[in-house]
Amino acid sequence: MPTRREVIIGGAALGLCASSWPAAAQSGQVRVVAFAGASNWPYWVAQERGLFKKEGVEASLDITPNSVELARNLHGGKYDLALAGVDNIVAYNEGQGEADLGGPTDFVALFGVDNGLLSLMAAPDIGSFADLKGKTLSVDAMTTGFAFVLRDLLARNGIGEGDVKIMRVGGGAQRLEGLLKKEQDGTLLNAPLDRVKDVLGSYQGIVAAAKRDNADAKGKEVEAFIRAFHQGVAWLYDPANKEEAINLLMARMKGMERPGAERAYTVLLDPKNGIYRDLKVDREGLRTVLMLRSKYGQPRKELSDPGRYIDESYLASALKS
């Protein structure tokens, strides 16, 4: 079985296991669902340091196994917010999602977290894109943005869709497990070296998403959550907190050791390409998401207006001076 240091093309894998907390239904609470991964770091800071309580809101976080479950539970009202790739919002709003959720979704991005920090990870015997021919690659779902990113990367490197087998496996934790067990040969993961951005340019990754009507109904709680999350980001970027931040990451990411945590600190808190300090959605990055979905999404649609999927009024209200 390959070690985590061995399974890389253009990056080093982050441990993807994380603790979760039970969802709650009372008023004054914000129930959050997310994928396992270091994008949840600001949330952990806000929880650990009592920032949610300080802002008068209780927050809970559950980890989802895949994007279909995430979308279904957000649409069904089990959760108030989802920390997920913005492409999930676009896909289900445009009727291109992996599953039928039983009606219009009306999802919207309330703030941005990061650019996805994606790298193509592969087994140790694969040293180039050419070596991927005839191999099996894994994705969360066949119709999500990260699957489109993978297809576009392959195409840009001369690998046709008939040259590889792409299979649906689930979220990052499941894909990393399959890679380590040699059940698949490669996948995209949120790794601490961002190489996809070098190829595609700006790309909007993780956002905080909600149903519009639920965001309206819980506006005060949502704004309180945003303030606490933003304070968590600011705390992470303060160099004085580096040691405590690294220790927190190792505690929450099971199996992560000090070298990996230090690499994650360097990349996820990079002033230019790391977690967004202002939490604003990268509209140019979202245009890239829409370009890929226009190219690969089914049924085919031309999508070009980022504003249709964003409502930053809660962010502006939460952070106004």
Side-chain angles (χ1 to χ4, degrees):
M1 179 181 296
T3 67
R4 291 185 185 181
R5 284 190 296 273
E6 292 172 323
V7 289
I8 104 177
I9 289 180
L14 282 178
L16 291 172
C17 296
S19 302
S20 62
W21 296 265
Q26 297 89 340
S27 62
Q29 298 194 347
V30 175
R31 303 159 299 172
V32 185
V33 62
F35 292 97
S39 292
N40 301 320
W41 206 357
Y43 177 95
W44 297 328
V45 170
Q47 183 192 52
E48 190 81 9
R49 301 191 63 79
L51 301 179
F52 293 123
K53 184 177 181 180
K54 174 187 170 185
E55 293 298 333
V57 68
E58 294 184 33
S60 62
L61 176 66
D62 284 347
I63 300 301
T64 189
N66 56 64
S67 60
V68 172
E69 287 301 303
L70 181 145
R72 181 177 289 122
N73 288 324
L74 183 63
H75 179 63
K78 182 177 181 179
Y79 299 107
D80 304 305
L81 291 176
L83 299 176
V86 72
D87 179 82
N88 289 292
I89 295 172
V90 178
Y92 282 99
N93 283 1
E94 297 296 341
Q96 298 175 330
E98 190 83 0
D100 182 358
L101 302 186
T105 54
D106 204 19
F107 295 149
V108 64
L110 305 184
F111 65 85
V113 180
D114 61 42
N115 62 19
L117 300 168
L118 293 171
S119 287
L120 177 60
M121 316 297 292
D125 59 328
I126 296 174
S128 68
F129 277 94
D131 295 336
L132 291 173
K133 287 187 176 182
K135 302 297 185 179
T136 298
L137 308 179
S138 64
V139 296
D140 170 27
M142 300 301 290
T143 63
T144 60
F146 290 176
F148 297 160
V149 169
L150 178 60
R151 290 166 66 181
D152 211 58
L153 283 177
L154 294 172
R156 289 170 185 249
N157 286 274
I159 307 294
E161 294 193 23
D163 294 330
V164 296
K165 178 181 179 181
I166 299 178
M167 62 183 298
R168 178 176 58 191
V169 172
Q174 290 83 356
R175 299 199 307 277
L176 177 60
E177 181 180 4
L179 190 59
L180 293 172
K181 289 181 176 179
K182 299 184 178 181
E183 294 171 350
Q184 296 92 43
D185 303 293
T187 191
L188 283 179
L189 290 173
N190 304 86
L193 287 178
D194 179 12
R195 297 302 176 92
V196 168
K197 188 173 184 290
D198 296 342
V199 179
L200 293 182
S202 296
Y203 186 85
Q204 176 58 56
I206 303 300
V207 299
K211 288 184 68 178
R212 288 183 191 268
D213 58 355
N214 195 44
D216 289 342
K218 304 199 72 170
K220 291 187 181 300
E221 290 91 344
V222 167
E223 290 179 15
F225 180 91
I226 292 172
R227 283 193 295 273
F229 194 95
H230 184 257
Q231 291 166 27
V233 172
W235 185 91
L236 282 172
Y237 271 103
D238 186 341
N241 300 323
K242 178 178 180 179
E243 187 64 25
E244 192 174 349
I246 288 174
N247 287 336
L248 174 61
L249 186 62
M250 289 190 293
R252 294 299 181 111
M253 302 279 287
K254 294 179 181 178
M256 175 173 279
E257 298 181 354
R258 180 81 190 198
E262 289 181 346
R263 288 195 299 273
Y265 182 92
T266 298
V267 175
L268 272 70
L269 300 178
D270 178 86
K272 184 177 180 181
N273 295 313
I275 294 171
Y276 302 163
R277 290 189 192 224
D278 60 7
L279 300 186
K280 291 183 178 180
V281 175
D282 178 359
R283 289 179 181 249
E284 285 306 307
L286 181 47
R287 288 186 193 279
T288 302
V289 172
L290 297 180
M291 177 273 291
L292 291 174
R293 179 151 290 283
S294 298
K295 185 176 180 179
Y296 295 109
Q298 295 292 336
R300 287 289 178 92
K301 292 185 178 182
E302 283 296 323
L303 308 173
S304 60
D305 180 10
R308 291 181 58 190
Y309 314 99
I310 303 171
D311 183 349
E312 290 185 322
S313 64
Y314 300 95
L315 176 64
S317 180
L319 302 186
K320 66 182 178 182
S321 56

